[in-house]
C-alpha cells in the first residue's frame, strides 16, 4: 500500500476568494475542521476537544486566492522548523461559478515512524480528510450563499 500522499478533489459552490478564506482563516477553520484555531505571524494552533489534542502549524505558502499550504503534525505537536512535519496544500482553481479544490497531504514516510505507526497515522488521516474535506466544501458553500 502506498502511504505517501493523500489527495482529495471536490467542487465547491463558492468563489476561490471565499474558499481561500475558509482554508486559511482561523475563524473559518474552526467551523469545518478543528474546534478552535489561531494564527499569528505564520504560526498557528489547532485545538480539538477541551485541549485534548493541540497541534501547532506553520504557514508555508499563502497566495490568495489560489494556494494555501501549511506544515503540521510536528513531534509533540509543537512547531519545530528543523523537524519533519506533514505538508497540507490547498490548490484552488476557478471552475464555472465555483472552485475546484484540490487538497494534498504529504510527508508521511519522512516522519520517521515505524511501519505500524506510519500505517496507523496514514489511515487516520485518510479517514479524517474523507470527513473534513466535504465539510469544508459545505461550509464554504453556505458562507457564499449567505
Amino acid at each position: 500500500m502506498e502511504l505517501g500522499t493523500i489527495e482529495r478533489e471536490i467542487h465547491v459552490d463558492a468563489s476561490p476568494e471565499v474558499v481561500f478564506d475558509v482554508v486559511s482563516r482561523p475563524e473559518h477553520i474552526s467551523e469545518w475542521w478543528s474546534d478552535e484555531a489561531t494564527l499569528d505571524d505564520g504560526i498557528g494552533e489547532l485545538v480539538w476537544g477541551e485541549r485534548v489534542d493541540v497541534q501547532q502549524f506553520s504557514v508555508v505558502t499563502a497566495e490568495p486566492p489560489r494556494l494555501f499550504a501549511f506544515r503540521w503534525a510536528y513531534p509533540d505537536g509543537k512547531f519545530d522548523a528543523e523537524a519533519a512535519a506533514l505538508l497540507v496544500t490547498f490548490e484552488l482553481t476557478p471552475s464555472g461559478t465555483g472552485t475546484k479544490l484540490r487538497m494534498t497531504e504529504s510527508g508521511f514516510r519522512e516522519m520517521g515512524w515505524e511501519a505500524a505507526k506510519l500505517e496507523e497515522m496514514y489511515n487516520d488521516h485518510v479517514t479524517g480528510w474523507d470527513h473534513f474535506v466535504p465539510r469544508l466544501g459545505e461550509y464554504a458553500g453556505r458562507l457564499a450563499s449567505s
Side-chain angles (χ1 to χ4, degrees):
M1 177 190 299
E2 173 59 36
L3 302 174
T5 301
I6 298 168
E7 298 179 5
R8 297 290 178 269
E9 190 171 290
I10 62 169
H11 176 82
V12 181
D13 291 325
S15 69
E17 291 79 8
V18 169
V19 179
F20 185 87
D21 283 351
V22 166
V23 301
S24 66
R25 292 181 49 193
E27 65 269 26
H28 295 302
I29 293 170
S30 63
E31 293 293 325
W32 63 269
W33 190 19
S34 61
D35 294 323
E36 230 180 283
T38 60
L39 180 60
D40 185 32
D41 202 26
I43 305 295
E45 187 176 79
L46 303 166
V47 178
W48 289 270
E50 295 294 319
R51 299 193 67 80
V52 170
D53 186 8
V54 178
Q55 293 286 322
Q56 288 188 327
F57 70 98
S58 61
V59 175
V60 174
T61 306
E63 298 175 12
R66 60 176 211 82
L67 183 65
F68 185 74
F70 63 89
R71 291 203 172 274
W72 80 306
Y74 292 97
D76 300 321
K78 305 278 190 251
F79 170 71
D80 179 349
E82 304 299 316
L86 300 177
L87 176 65
V88 175
T89 303
F90 293 100
E91 297 172 76
L92 312 174
T93 308
S95 176
T97 59
T99 302
K100 179 178 82 170
L101 176 142
R102 182 170 184 262
M103 185 286 306
T104 59
E105 184 176 34
S106 59
F108 289 90
R109 286 189 307 270
E110 292 76 17
M111 294 298 287
W113 292 319
E114 297 291 327
K117 173 79 170 178
L118 170 61
E119 186 173 355
E120 173 191 344
M121 294 302 291
Y122 181 85
N123 289 334
D124 184 53
H125 285 232
V126 164
T127 301
W129 290 120
D130 284 347
H131 176 76
F132 291 113
V133 169
R135 280 182 55 160
L136 182 167
E138 292 163 9
Y139 173 71
R142 284 194 311 273
L143 198 61
S145 68
S146 60

